[in-house]
Structure formats: structure tokens, C-alpha cells
Amino acid sequence: QVYLVESGGGLVQAGGSLSLSCAASAGSFRTSTMAWFRQAAGKEREFVAAAWSGGSTYYADSVKGRFTVSRDLAKNTVLLQMNSLKPEDTAVYYCAVSSVLTTTHSAAYHFWGQGTQVTVSS
């Protein structure tokens, strides 16, 4: 089994920044893609950003230019730097991993973290 632990969530004012991290205990699992999803209250889980093991990154249109996703392959972590935060960014953010190179398709992700709450105040 793969265990993912997110950290860095919290309360931040609109326009501010916050950095999330996810540490994976993956064993022999091939973490080809590590990604971030988020789920706001009453809404479906949505894709935020993904990073492939080869270095490619992908972003939802709603966060392009504001968020940056990066991986540290040696440490098996994925980071999400969030800048210019908006109240609509408020959600529980989840780290996810897939054994294949993928992006927005949540069903392609094999394991998920417990989530970390991000709240952006007006």
C-alpha cells in the first residue's frame, strides 16, 4: 500500500500565499504522476495540478499563473505553491498518485492522502 501525508494547509487572507506538501511512502509503487485535487463543500472533487516523474507539469485553468506544482523525486514528495489566493480556492486539498502518466482523470489515481484544509478569507 501507498501512504500519502499532506501538510501545510491553514487559513490565509485573499491575495496571500500558502505552500502544501505531500510525502509519499510508496514502497515499490511507481509514482509516475503525483497530483493535487481539491474539493470544496458541496462540490465534486476537481483537478488542480499534476507533476510527472519526467518533469512535466499540468494545471487546471482556474489556477494557472497562480499555483506551481513541483516534485522532489529523491524525497518522493510533491509540493504545491499557491499564490494570489482567492476565496474560491477554499477547499480540502488532496494529494494523489498514479502508476501511469496522467492528469485530470481522478479514476487514474491509485492512492489518495487524507486531505488538508485550505481556507482563504475575504
Side-chain angles (χ1 to χ4, degrees):
Q1 293 294 315
V2 174
Y3 296 92
L4 305 173
V5 180
E6 302 100 332
S7 62
L11 176 65
V12 65
Q13 293 183 347
S17 298
L18 198 63
S19 182
L20 306 181
S21 65
C22 172
S25 297
S28 61
F29 186 83
R30 180 183 289 271
T31 54
S32 296
T33 306
M34 297 189 73
W36 292 94
F37 288 75
R38 66 187 183 187
Q39 186 169 21
K43 297 183 179 180
E44 296 294 318
R45 187 171 298 182
E46 65 176 354
F47 172 78
V48 176
W52 287 2
S53 57
S56 298
T57 58
Y58 304 89
Y59 299 92
D61 288 342
S62 60
V63 305
K64 286 181 179 177
R66 300 190 298 120
F67 291 10
T68 302
V69 64
S70 60
R71 289 186 66 172
D72 186 330
L73 296 178
K75 297 181 179 180
N76 210 11
T77 61
V78 61
L79 306 178
L80 185 68
Q81 178 63 47
M82 303 183 293
N83 300 321
S84 301
L85 283 162
K86 305 174 181 179
E88 52 262 45
D89 294 318
T90 296
V92 177
Y93 284 70
Y94 296 91
C95 178
V97 298
S98 175
S99 64
V100 301
L101 299 176
T102 188
T103 53
T104 65
H105 192 193
S106 62
Y109 291 86
H110 298 78
F111 298 98
W112 298 78
Q114 84 288 351
T116 185
Q117 177 71 48
V118 172
T119 301
V120 183
S121 63
S122 300

